[in-house]
Amino acid sequence: QVVESCVAAAGYSVGEFAALVFAGAMDFAEALYAVKVRAEAMQAASEAVPSGMLSVLGGREANYKHACLEARRHCEALGIENPVCEISNYLFPDSRVVAGHLQALEFLQQNAPKFHFTRTKMLPVSGAFHTRLMEPAVEPLAEVLKSIEIQKPLICVYSNVDSKKYMHSKHIQKLLVKQVVSPVLWEQTMHSMYQRKQGTEFPYTYEVGPGTQLGAVLRKCNLKAWRQYSHVDVTEDEEAAQT
């Protein structure tokens, strides 16, 4: 009943492929192959440059762009050409993920009080995903997406790149490639999805996956929408099938 009455879907980063499969825009097996190519290409790009991602919780005075600029200047002083340090994920108000050269992220951690960062934490990932350091991964993904049949989604699917609904198959193909080197606008996507006239009820929201992180983010973005939130743990179904 939930599936039949679903009106919209969104996926975080690689989860966008799952959302598109759910919405009938892509075949499951073909999407899985595209995800494999994407993962291998992004891993190869990660190995080319020592880089990473830093989760940042900032105070109201935090200026992320200024902090990233200072971190890039620091890298230039160390002799790093064209250093990268930029916001790669917008999670919820006061929370961002900054990605780029490791030296830049270390600089931000060491100077956290100066930039009004209340908490910083390095993420356990191998590279600076959703930044221009992932440019080597663009072409392999673009090629595989050209070989896949993409349909117009049966329900609204929101893009990480611009937080808007996908319009047609070429639009999906273009933005899935762009997503690799663009920040994930998740906070903005939450605002787009749940925007409604005052007095209109919020829909039921289901997070399907192994964790509840997106539910926690929704709570920070929109408390009223979160009150209609449920988590569907796919690992429970797998365990039941095995027993």
Side-chain angles (χ1 to χ4, degrees):
Q1 188 183 359
V2 168
V3 171
E4 285 173 0
S5 60
C6 187
V7 293
Y12 185 89
S13 189
V14 70
E16 204 161 307
F17 285 86
L20 288 163
V21 169
F22 174 77
M26 300 174 86
D27 172 75
F28 175 71
E30 288 187 331
L32 208 57
Y33 178 63
V35 166
K36 178 178 181 286
V37 170
R38 177 185 183 272
E40 289 170 350
M42 289 172 80
Q43 183 60 35
S46 298
E47 289 167 3
V49 178
S51 57
M53 303 179 83
L54 182 73
S55 175
V56 179
L57 204 61
R60 294 212 166 174
E61 299 97 343
N63 186 329
Y64 297 94
K65 287 188 177 177
H66 174 69
C68 289
L69 177 62
E70 287 216 13
R72 290 195 296 272
R73 284 175 178 162
H74 169 74
C75 287
E76 286 169 353
L78 295 176
I80 297 170
E81 289 185 21
N82 298 319
V84 172
C85 183
E86 55 199 54
I87 296 172
S88 62
N89 304 74
Y90 291 81
L91 296 174
F92 54 86
D94 305 326
S95 180
R96 304 281 182 267
V97 175
V98 176
H101 283 82
L102 281 181
Q103 296 91 332
L105 305 183
E106 287 162 2
F107 172 81
L108 291 180
Q109 280 194 296
Q110 290 160 8
N111 293 277
K114 175 185 174 183
F115 300 122
H116 304 284
F117 294 163
T118 53
R119 196 178 76 211
T120 60
K121 182 184 177 184
M122 287 296 294
L123 298 180
V125 295
S126 57
F129 305 134
H130 303 291
T131 71
R132 59 184 173 86
L133 286 175
M134 290 294 114
E135 276 174 7
V138 165
E139 194 55 38
L141 180 59
E143 284 303 308
V144 75
L145 287 175
K146 282 177 191 171
S147 68
I148 289 175
E149 188 179 354
I150 301 174
Q151 311 279 351
K152 185 179 177 180
L154 299 172
I155 59 171
C156 298
V157 178
Y158 289 78
S159 165
N160 287 185
V161 173
D162 61 7
S163 74
K164 295 175 183 174
K165 300 170 190 173
Y166 280 118
M167 305 306 291
H168 47 75
S169 57
K170 287 287 183 190
H171 192 211
I172 293 169
Q173 187 181 335
K174 179 184 172 184
L175 291 192
L176 280 180
V177 173
K178 196 175 178 183
Q179 191 226 62
V180 172
V181 290
S182 303
V184 174
L185 305 184
W186 194 254
E187 180 186 342
Q188 295 87 331
T189 299
M190 293 298 94
H191 293 317
S192 294
M193 287 185 80
Y194 295 103
Q195 189 175 25
R196 59 203 57 244
K197 290 177 183 174
Q198 203 165 0
T200 308
E201 283 189 23
F202 282 93
Y204 289 104
T205 298
Y206 296 87
E207 178 175 2
V208 183
T212 58
Q213 295 93 330
L214 297 181
V217 169
L218 176 59
R219 184 175 184 175
K220 299 275 190 182
C221 290
N222 191 323
L223 186 59
K224 286 183 178 177
W226 174 79
R227 288 187 179 126
Q228 304 276 48
Y229 161 89
S230 299
H231 174 234
V232 180
D233 191 342
V234 292
T235 55
E236 286 179 6
D237 291 342
E238 287 174 8
E239 286 163 10
Q242 286 167 3
T243 54

